[in-house]
Amino acid sequence: MNTPDDIFHPLNSDIAPPPRMSNPFCYDPHPLCLLAMEQARALLFAAASDNAELRKEVDSGKMIGVLVVRNIDGATGFLAAFSGQICGHDSLLGFVPPVFHYLSPDGHFKKEEAAISAINREIASLSGSTLMAQLRNNLAKAEEETRQKVDEHRKAMAAAKARRDDMRAKGMLTESDKEAMTRESQFMKAQLRRIKAAGRTAIDVARQKLDAVNAKINAMKTERQRRSDALQTWLFDNHAMLNAYGEAKSLTEIFRDTVMRVPPSGSGECCEPRLLQYAYANSMQPLCMAMMWVGASPQNVIRHDGAFCPACQGRCKPILQWMLKGLDVDPDCTETADDNDNQLNIIYHDDDIAVVYKPAGMLSVPGKDNRPSVYSIMRGRFPQATGPMMVHRLDMSTSGIMAVALNTDSYHNLQCQFAAHEVRKRYVAVLSNMPDGVAPGQQGIISLPLAPDYMHRPCQMVDHDHGKPAITRWTMLDNCHIELFPETGRTHQLRVHCAHKEGLGTPIKGDALYGTKADRLYLHASEITFRHPRTGKNMHFSVVPPFTMRE
């Protein structure tokens, strides 16, 4: 069992704390956080050193966090946390407890979880039972037998009709013969109706028996859903999240006014809420915070062992917006433009198109504020332009060439060229290091489907099941420089294909989302080739990257 002395770790350092609390969504780790994280990692690995199960889980990947605080006695130290559970437990010696303990073996959560698991087992047992298989077979048999009987009787009716037609053709029929033929026809039609009716009865009986079992299964599924929803609501209602004013709100209340309406699964269990909750509950002043991924990267999302990470947008943003109230917090740099030269240069223009150079830090299209974008600037410079104008985009952090349509016809023409993969683009990037096993001059193709990572917007993730196809050709240059040729245009495609372990496994230098932040993202759209929408002439433009090719 953790005691307060186990959880508060003194920092014996002369380093001054920052003037404001670091923003968990956008930060450079403060020196105190670096010192604290070093000790937190040592604490985690010490616990795992003689615990094979814990070591295996840590090696498979875990998010840990530190919060530098000043306690009620004025001493500076740090708190450490991990996200979620570890080896099925929500606590570990030296780490803060969860916001709400719900994993007690005899507690409400575990009892309800066991009841839901029992329902799952019963559903699986009944769905795969011999009885269920027999009932399905009985229904299929009744349907097949009915079909066969109807088909056989129809053949008999056709044969009988053919005989009657032959007799009529030969003539010399008596009135008695005609009456007999009519009676035969009527009888066979009535017999068909009786066969169908008997078949429907047999099918209905078989289906009713099957439906009765399915109804039982559906009732159990409904009960399972009801209990799961109720348990989730109970869990969220019991997470009373504090802020610096000492106010408390449940997760249900926090998310009620968001787009999501209800908290996502796992809300409140990340490092950041745990750390702040413990600090507030124990009268500690938060000073700065940092999170780090430890261990292997997950299969879909990109994580690097030892890399600092921002708080997630999906689960954590609404929670932290509440919990950080009352603190003087650094601004969120994800909501502000980079402090770069925001001059948009027009390389070429005529009556139909313009080609521009977008600097890093400028939006391609308007965002949620009124910052200048390529669209807003071009709309101002070409007020006579018609149509949407923007036929493609570059990430805000990426510099380089963009084509802009100045009328509707040109827009649709260029859109068609992009859709048909007729537009050729070349990017130049600097990787954070040389990828393993890759030599200068080597070429390759990366094909990894991408999908939005809704919990970590605006990040994308590799999703082999539901992602959209994304293909990138590459040529390795020297000195960590690389040429990238996208054959599709997915969001963050080049960045993910470089960083993901199934791609090059090496993030682009300065990629704050998929690697490590630097003075800029070293990715530049250097060339573009397309057909002029009016003349059909081949148009080619290039701009040398602002970062040198020999760093």
Side-chain angles (χ1 to χ4, degrees), residues 272-293:
E272 302 89 340
R274 286 186 173 194
L275 292 166
L276 289 170
Q277 186 82 359
Y278 189 87
Y280 293 147
N282 291 274
S283 303
M284 298 178 181
Q285 179 188 355
L287 300 174
C288 52
M289 172 186 282
M291 283 64 64
M292 176 181 283
W293 183 261

Side-chain angles (χ1 to χ4, degrees), residues 103-163:
L103 294 180
S104 173
D106 57 351
H108 175 72
F109 184 87
K110 282 298 183 181
K111 288 179 179 179
E112 278 299 298
E113 187 179 55
I116 293 169
S117 295
I119 294 174
N120 283 334
R121 289 192 296 272
E122 191 171 354
I123 290 172
S125 176
L126 189 53
S127 298
S129 66
T130 302
L131 172 63
M132 197 67 171
Q134 185 62 51
L135 292 174
R136 291 193 188 100
N137 288 336
N138 290 346
L139 176 58
K141 183 179 178 181
E143 291 172 337
E144 179 60 21
E145 287 180 350
T146 298
R147 185 191 65 78
Q148 288 180 358
K149 288 178 180 179
V150 169
D151 287 348
E152 289 172 0
H153 189 72
R154 281 179 171 156
K155 289 177 182 178
M157 289 176 68
K161 183 177 185 302
R163 287 194 305 272

